[in-house]
Amino acid sequence: MDKIYKTPKSSRITISELMLPSHSNFSGKIHGGYILSLMDQIAFACASKFSGTYCVTASVDTVDFLNPIEIGELVTLKASVNYVGNSSMVIGIRVTAENIQTRKIKHCNSSYFTMVAKDDAGKNVSVPRLTLTTAEEVRRFCDSLRRIRSKKEHKEQEELFDHTSLDMLQEIQNMDIKIHL
């Protein structure tokens, strides 16, 4: 069977939504959880568009909330496939908010969602391969490779980590933390 190749451009999705009072927390800022929900939706749409299948969220890399989003601002999320594995895809997402009166745009956060393509029975299915056509696409692909390798190294270190070691217990004591078991 011939492999299918697609460009990251073929996966691009943009959504915009006006932030309403119902999306806010008690301090009048937009709930981070609401933004995460929008990010999950666009990651699903992007991965499904690229793969032509139903996709599920496997993991979410760090989400740092860089700037608060205000009621009345227009939030725009942009997503594209940055990396593909056998059945997985790394979706890069950028979130901005625009004050519709001043037209000032601020970067609010970026994140990377790993999505997995599934068939109707819930089994993993292969996704199209990537054709990278710009230096920016190559950079994003390589950044994804670096993050994947870093996550694997971190997981290996966690498996070896011993929270009962004398060094660790001494470090806890030096932090003025009491342990009562």
Side-chain angles (χ1 to χ4, degrees):
M1 185 165 117
D2 292 333
K3 290 183 180 179
I4 297 170
Y5 287 82
K6 290 185 175 182
T7 63
K9 185 177 180 179
S10 72
S11 72
R12 288 187 193 153
I13 300 247
T14 301
I15 61 172
S16 295
E17 185 173 330
L18 185 65
M19 294 296 103
L20 304 174
S22 61
H23 304 138
S24 69
N25 58 28
F26 291 111
S27 65
K29 309 298 183 201
I30 301 306
H31 278 290
Y34 184 73
I35 300 303
L36 286 171
S37 174
L38 291 175
M39 293 171 77
D40 193 49
Q41 289 175 40
I42 198 170
F44 168 81
C46 179
S48 295
K49 179 181 179 184
F50 182 80
S51 67
T53 65
Y54 179 78
C55 296
V56 297
T57 306
S59 71
V60 179
D61 278 6
T62 302
V63 179
D64 293 320
F65 293 93
L66 305 173
N67 288 296
I69 299 172
E70 308 288 338
I71 295 169
E73 289 185 326
L74 184 65
V75 168
T76 299
L77 296 92
K78 295 181 179 184
S80 69
V81 171
N82 289 353
Y83 170 89
V84 297
N86 292 322
S87 61
S88 66
M89 296 155 281
V90 173
I91 310 300
I93 302 170
R94 181 179 174 88
V95 180
T96 59
E98 178 181 0
N99 180 308
I100 57 176
Q101 293 174 321
T102 66
R103 301 277 189 235
K104 182 179 178 188
I105 297 173
K106 59 187 172 186
H107 178 211
C108 297
N109 66 46
S110 295
S111 188
Y112 304 93
F113 280 51
T114 300
M115 307 297 288
V116 177
K118 300 286 187 175
D119 65 14
D120 292 338
K123 303 284 185 195
N124 292 2
V125 295
S126 296
V127 297
R129 311 315 300 153
L130 276 176
T131 298
L132 304 174
T133 61
T134 68
E136 180 65 13
E137 290 171 354
V138 171
R139 183 192 65 75
R140 289 178 179 175
F141 185 88
C142 291
D143 282 350
S144 293
L145 275 177
R146 181 186 46 79
R147 278 190 304 280
I148 290 166
R149 289 178 181 152
S150 178
K151 283 169 71 171
K152 285 180 181 176
E153 289 171 7
H154 182 74
K155 187 175 182 177
E156 290 169 3
Q157 288 176 348
E158 281 182 344
E159 290 172 0
L160 298 174
F161 180 75
D162 179 9
H163 69 280
T164 63
S165 72
L166 292 177
D167 288 341
M168 183 52 57
L169 294 174
Q170 183 63 49
E171 185 175 340
I172 293 170
Q173 283 181 336
N174 292 342
M175 297 173 71
D176 197 23
I177 302 295
K178 293 181 181 180
I179 301 175
H180 293 284
L181 300 177

